[in-house]
Each structure stands twice: as structure tokens, then as C-alpha cells.
Amino acid sequence: MGMFERTASVFDDAMVLDEEYQPDKIRERDEELEQYRQALQPIIDNRPLSNIFVYGKTGTGKTVATRYMIDHLQEDAEHYDDVALSITWVGCENLSSSYQVAVALVNELRSSDHQISTTGHSQQAVFNMLYTELDKIGGTVLIVLDEIDNIGSDDDILYGLPRARANGYIEDARPLVIGISNDFQFKENLSPKVRDTLCEAEILFPPYDATELNSILYPRAEKAFYDDVLADDVVPLCSAFAAQDTGSARQALRLLYLAGKRVADNGETNVTGDHVRGAKEELHQSKVIEGMQKLTTQGHAVLLTLASHTANSETPVRTRDLYDRYKTVTEKIDADTIVERRVRAHLSDLTMLGLVTVHERNEGLNAGRYHEYELSVQLDSVLEVLSEEQRFDDIVEIVKQQVHGMDRT
DNA sequence: TTTCCACAGGAATTTTTGGAGA
DNA sequence: TCTCCAAAAATTCCTGTGGAAA
């Protein structure tokens, strides 16, 4: 037997639960798909085009629905000799300006041996290249800009593209922009001139509720798992948790996958509600850890101070005492010592992130009104994250010692 | 009822930082 | 590399606040 063999598993085809998986039928989005169909119809009819904007939070089906629609559109367009259609898809996750989007578009349209570099051109030069490429292709060019809200208020590309034809920069092509945005506010930040051209057709994808998530999950669960390995409450629980939190199908699918993975890893044979609860906890925990890692050095320093109090069983701590120790901590790790007001702000940030909890105390004339803080996360995981920064090493070691000292007594 | 502790946290302002263009 | 800009962080100054004690 080789070193690797196929793991016995509850999964028939786990890829069905993957983010990349494109279902052959979109569920619970009938209205949105119909709006989409109407917005795209002019392409087939050779009527004037209007640009399309798609809004919705992550996991509400914007991207999947767009893929689905343009697949069908492309297929159906082939039945008409006088409809020339080409599609260009650009994900703007890492593009923060119109210039960068324009470069990405040019490179997407050009063959791999005629790519341009991301620097060194003037914005106008790149736009001209883009127009030339569009004209070469000709016909209707559908340009999908996914996560377009990344470009912020720099909207030149959104202004230029839809008007290129009217302004005489291109003659043979009809560009049509589909913008996909996670941010409802994005529209507000655009300049007015862009707003009315781009937002001619708007399609809104609201968060899913638990019932809708169920209807999305069940068919997928059926394909992903072998028969009879899922307990009855598994899918409804995934849906309920995801609906309560974000209303995201991505999250619900993730929960379902993680629950199954837990079962597979343990060599068990059936997925139960408890596995889902475990998966939910796991997902939550990884979000918390991620939140901790993203903190600034000062945030880490404040957290470390509170960790130190925790290790010595001195929690909850009032702000004043915490700040005293904070000063010695920053000295040891050779970081700046910031004023108390700012430390209070950091504490309030940590509270927002769910890393610490506050208790408001009030002892009137005796001791006035103040906050007391304690960790709401495992001390171990805090120390683990903090030790990732080398300058924290020594002092994290000391805190760990203190924890062990407690164990002995 | 009034007083007043001891801090919370808002607002205005200054400093630092990080990223892009010259 | 330097310069510039905007955004984030920090600082400064301040007003607001709930309830125990007077």
C-alpha cells in the first residue's frame, strides 16, 4: 500500500460545496435573474444598451448569478447572425484605481505576448490602448468588473468606458459595463456624472433568510454527501446559523463542509447537529484569531497587558491599573507608549471585536464610575497570536511562566 | 435633592504611516 | 530615491454621566 490512499469519507463529492462550484440552477433568485434578463435583452435585440450595476453583500449570489446569465447570453447570442458578443471579466480585488483597472482590462484583451506593465504609462495612454483593443474586437463587448467598489472614488474608468463611443474614441465596438459591488455606499461616492450613466439598471441582491438557504443547501448536500449520512437537523442548522449572522450562502456552505470534514477527520460515519455547532465554533474562532492578527502593535500591546493581568488572576482590571502596567509593557517591548485616552480607544476597539468584555462599575462618591475589562477569548490563543511578533517573544514567555506558576499552586 | 467621584468618550487637531507617482 | 497625499493613529482638550454619599 502506498503512503497515500483515498480516505474513507462521508463525502461523495465535496467539490460541490466549494466556492468555485457553479450550480446548474440558481435558486431563490428568480426576481433578480428576471431583472438581469431584461437588462441584457437589448444585446440580443440590437437595441441601445444601458449599463448594469449589481449590489449585494458577500455570499448573496451576485457573482454566481452574473456568470450564469452571461453563459446563457453567450449561448443564445450564437443563434443570431447579426449579434456579435464578447465577454471580458476582470476581478478588481487587488486593483485600487481606475488606472489599474484599465491596465488589467488591456492585458485581459491582449494576447499573452503583448501584455503591458502596470507602471510607466500615463492614464490617457492606457485608456487609448483599451479603446483600440475594443475596436479591434468590435461588436458588443460586455465588460464585467467584479468587486468594483475597490477603486473607491476614482471613477474615471466608469466614466470613460460607457461614453467612449459617444465621444468618438471607438467606432466599431459597443461597450457595456456590468459593475458588481459589495458596498451599497459605493454609488454615493461616485461623481454625479458617472452615477446616472452607470446606474441605469440596478439589481439588488438582499441577504438570504434561513428558508432560502435551506433551499440552496439541500440539493447541494444531496450531491456532496452519500445517502443517509446527514442527520435531519444538519442542513437547517447550517442555514439558521448563517442566516442569523450574515445571510451568506458562502458561510452556510462553509459550515456544511466543515461539519462534514469534522466527521471525516474523526473517522465517524454520520454528520449530526453537534458537528455543525462545532463547525460554527471553529469558524467563529478562526475569525477571532484573524481579527487579533490584524491589530496594530499598540493593539497587541494593550491585549498583552490584559493577558498579563489574566495570567496573574487579576481580572477584571480597571482602566487605570491596566494603563499602569501597559506603560511597563511597552517599555519592555521597546514600543511607543501612547496616552491613556488612546489606550481607552484601543480597549473599546477590542471590545467591538469581541476579544474582551467590559463591565461598567459605579461606586458613586467612593470611587466614581469606571470600566473593568477581562479577556473573552482563551488566554492560550491570545498568547499564540502575540508570539508571532518577535519583539513580543520575551514578555509572552514571561506571561506563559506566570500561567504555569498558577497551575502549580 | 444635590453633590461629586473618576473616568468615558466626543471633537478638533496634529503626527505618523503607507502607497503611488515623478 | 524623493515627494506628495490621504488615511489612520495619536494627542489634546473637553463635556457628559450614573449612582453612592452627604
Side-chain angles (χ1 to χ4, degrees), chain A residues 207-269:
Chain A
Y208 293 111
D209 66 27
T211 320
E212 293 165 339
L213 287 173
N214 268 332
S215 124
I216 294 167
L217 252 54
Y218 270 120
R220 296 249 211 149
E222 200 160 306
K223 280 190 194 162
F225 293 94
Y226 288 116
D227 292 345
D228 301 323
V229 295
L230 289 187
D232 286 347
D233 58 344
V234 169
V235 168
L237 262 181
C238 292
S239 302
F241 286 148
Q244 271 170 28
D245 191 20
T246 56
S248 146
R250 186 174 304 157
Q251 187 183 11
L253 288 164
R254 194 85 200 130
L255 280 173
L256 186 56
Y257 171 71
L258 284 176
K261 183 167 176 294
R262 293 182 148 250
V263 174
D265 289 350
N266 296 339
E268 295 169 70
T269 54

Side-chain angles (χ1 to χ4, degrees), chain A residues 74-302:
Chain A
Q74 210 159 16
E75 200 174 299
D76 295 344
E78 282 170 16
H79 300 156
Y80 301 92
D81 293 339
D82 59 342
V83 177
L85 175 68
S86 41
I87 314 271
T88 307
W89 188 295
V90 171
C92 307
E93 309 88 61
N94 302 312
L95 310 174
S96 61
S97 68
S98 282
Y99 174 85
Q100 292 175 347
V101 172
V103 171
L105 267 170
V106 170
N107 283 334
E108 179 72 28
L109 294 169
R110 285 193 176 184
S111 61
S112 55
D113 46 344
H114 288 90
Q115 302 275 297
I116 60 172
S117 78
T118 53
T119 54
H121 311 279
S122 78
Q123 173 160 315
Q124 196 52 53
V126 178
F127 274 44
N128 287 335
M129 288 184 228
L130 179 54
Y131 297 146
T132 311
E133 292 303 324
L134 289 175
D135 245 354
K136 263 191 215 163
I137 296 171
T140 302
V141 185
L142 189 55
I143 299 170
V144 183
L145 300 174
D146 200 357
E147 303 196 29
I148 186 63
D149 45 314
N150 268 326
I151 66 165
S153 55
D154 171 16
D155 52 15
D156 295 351
I157 185 95
L158 297 179
Y159 182 71
L161 266 182
R163 285 161 203 256
R165 191 184 172 85
N167 292 344
Y169 292 116
I170 53 180
E171 283 169 11
D172 300 329
R174 296 203 301 166
L176 167 59
V177 175
I178 298 183
I180 304 180
S181 166
N182 293 320
D183 180 4
F184 292 106
Q185 296 267 297
F186 180 60
K187 189 175 95 182
E188 313 300 320
N189 301 332
L190 294 175
S191 55
K193 57 181 186 181
V194 175
R195 215 177 299 161
D196 19 270
T197 36
L198 201 61
C199 306
E200 289 159 339
E202 287 183 4
I203 305 170
L204 223 72
F205 283 69
Y208 293 111
D209 66 27
T211 320
E212 293 165 339
L213 287 173
N214 268 332
S215 124
I216 294 167
L217 252 54
Y218 270 120
R220 296 249 211 149
E222 200 160 306
K223 280 190 194 162
F225 293 94
Y226 288 116
D227 292 345
D228 301 323
V229 295
L230 289 187
D232 286 347
D233 58 344
V234 169
V235 168
L237 262 181
C238 292
S239 302
F241 286 148
Q244 271 170 28
D245 191 20
T246 56
S248 146
R250 186 174 304 157
Q251 187 183 11
L253 288 164
R254 194 85 200 130
L255 280 173
L256 186 56
Y257 171 71
L258 284 176
K261 183 167 176 294
R262 293 182 148 250
V263 174
D265 289 350
N266 296 339
E268 295 169 70
T269 54
N270 288 291
V271 188
T272 67
D274 284 337
H275 292 114
V276 179
R277 289 186 194 92
K280 182 196 175 203
E281 188 48 43
E282 186 182 336
L283 209 55
H284 175 72
Q285 193 66 18
S286 64
K287 266 190 200 161
V288 166
I289 302 246
E290 202 178 301
M292 254 196 278
Q293 285 167 335
K294 279 200 209 124
L295 294 172
T296 60
T297 304
Q298 288 300 333
H300 283 150
V302 174

